[in-house]
């Protein structure tokens, strides 16, 4: 689990459900693809990406990825 916090203005509540949708942006020159692509990459590895506003100020983005039970490197099993 990784958390990224800032102390800015946070995310407008009406945007929290939309920020991971492709092409949603609040920036004039934004494409709205960054968070959508990031979430899809993380989900393809069976993880989660989500965000919430902090109580005091700012927002937190959380990435959760499952721990590997084991994996193979050059035909050698590693646990």
């Amino acid at each position: 689990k990784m958390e990224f916090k800032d102390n800015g203005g946070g995310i407008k509540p009406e945007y929290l459900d939309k920020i991971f949708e492709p092409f949603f942006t609040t920036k004039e020159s934004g494409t709205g693809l960054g968070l959508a692509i990031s979430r899809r990459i993380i989900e393809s590895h069976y993880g989660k990406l989500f965000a919430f506003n902090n109580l005091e100020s700012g927002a937190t983005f959380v990435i959760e990825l499952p721990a590997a039970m084991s994996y193979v490197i050059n035909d050698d099993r590693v646990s």
Side-chain angles (χ1 to χ4, degrees):
K1 179 177 177 178
M2 294 171 273
E3 294 185 2
F4 303 89
K5 299 179 182 184
D6 70 20
N7 56 1
I11 304 165
K12 290 185 179 182
E14 61 267 26
Y15 295 163
L16 273 173
D17 290 338
K18 299 177 182 180
I19 60 173
F20 295 105
E21 293 177 9
F23 307 109
F24 176 80
T25 184
T26 59
K27 297 179 180 177
E28 199 171 305
S29 62
T31 63
L33 291 174
L35 288 173
I37 291 171
S38 297
R39 179 178 256 185
R40 289 213 177 127
I41 291 169
I42 291 166
E43 287 176 346
S44 73
H45 292 280
Y46 307 103
K48 296 179 185 177
L49 171 62
F50 57 94
F52 58 88
N53 284 317
N54 302 330
L55 292 175
E56 56 284 348
S57 68
T60 298
F61 282 79
V62 180
I63 298 173
E64 292 180 347
L65 292 168
M69 298 296 282
S70 64
Y71 53 93
V72 177
I73 299 176
N74 298 331
D75 297 326
D76 294 324
R77 192 162 195 80
V78 179
S79 295

